[in-house]
Amino acid sequence: MTTAIYPGSFDPITNGHLDIIKRASSIFEKVILGIYDIPQKSLLFSVKERVDLARQAVTDYKNVEVTSYSGITVEFARKAKAQVLVRGLRASSDFEREFEMALMNKKLAPDIELVCFMANLRYQFLSSSLLKEIIQLGGNLDDMVPPQVSAALKKKLLS
Ligand code: ADP
């Protein structure tokens, strides 16, 4: 059985992330969405909120679990007995950082393989940070996030 970890901050989860989850869950027997507990950046949602929003968004996928973790991603992968790390690549923004992280992860854990999914054309320019700006400017997030995520963003940023 191949288990994959899809790690990230998911602050909050978007339809771009969900597209990767859907595709990964059709290839791997089990996909664990790993939400960083202590990321090196300031986040809008607490880890509990990020986990709750992600769990609500993946209920249709029976082989997808959501859990938070702290520390080194490859250690989390080892503990979960995962063989694969999944990441998503958008055209202009992600490659260099992902490449750097992939090389470091390979050094730390040569036994764990990275599988990158090219972002869907529809979601190439979708990022969690852009969503926050759109909400603050009164824009509509339909097609970008599940309804409960849109509601949570409005509550957090507009009330
Ligand atoms: P991180 O802080 O690790 O970058 P993110 O939650 O921003 O966490 O992203 C998690 C993963 O999902 C990363 O591999 C990122 O490149 C990918 N990703 C983010 N947005 C999209 C999108 N719109 N389409 C596909 N993949 C995406």
Side-chain angles (χ1 to χ4, degrees):
M1 175 169 121
T2 307
T3 299
I5 301 274
Y6 180 23
S9 26
F10 303 103
D11 184 46
I13 195 159
T14 70
N15 287 350
H17 296 131
L18 287 166
D19 183 69
I20 304 291
I21 291 165
K22 182 178 179 189
R23 289 155 65 195
S25 75
S26 72
I27 294 175
F28 303 113
E29 279 84 7
K30 184 172 165 188
V31 176
I32 302 173
L33 192 70
I35 302 191
Y36 305 142
D37 197 349
I38 314 170
Q40 302 291 317
K41 53 185 185 181
S42 55
L43 299 176
L44 183 63
F45 292 97
S46 71
V47 69
K48 184 181 178 308
E49 290 170 326
R50 287 179 283 137
V51 166
D52 287 348
L53 288 171
R55 282 202 179 127
Q56 288 169 42
V58 302
T59 48
D60 284 350
Y61 307 114
K62 298 301 166 217
N63 59 341
V64 177
E65 283 175 17
V66 179
T67 179
S68 62
Y69 74 98
S70 51
I72 296 177
T73 299
V74 288
E75 291 304 326
F76 169 61
R78 282 217 176 102
K79 276 186 204 133
K81 299 196 176 0
Q83 301 88 342
V84 172
L85 286 181
V86 162
R87 297 284 285 176
L89 286 182
R90 285 159 294 182
S92 54
S93 52
D94 294 325
F95 181 77
E96 292 204 357
R97 185 165 160 265
E98 294 295 334
F99 193 53
E100 208 174 279
M101 278 197 300
L103 290 177
M104 180 52 77
N105 283 336
K106 200 69 187 163
K107 198 170 170 63
L108 295 171
D111 49 316
I112 296 178
E113 217 38 80
L114 172 73
V115 174
C116 286
F117 288 79
M118 299 303 133
N120 189 311
L121 194 56
R122 286 175 67 185
Y123 305 125
Q124 282 292 338
F125 298 100
L126 180 53
S127 68
S128 301
S129 44
L130 197 58
L131 291 180
K132 293 164 196 162
E133 281 183 42
I134 296 171
I135 277 277
Q136 278 168 322
L137 295 170
N140 189 335
L141 297 184
D142 290 355
D143 288 346
M144 296 186 219
V145 292
Q148 67 275 13
V149 173
S150 175
L153 277 164
K154 281 186 189 142
K155 193 168 166 209
K156 192 71 101 176
L157 293 169
L158 300 180
S159 58

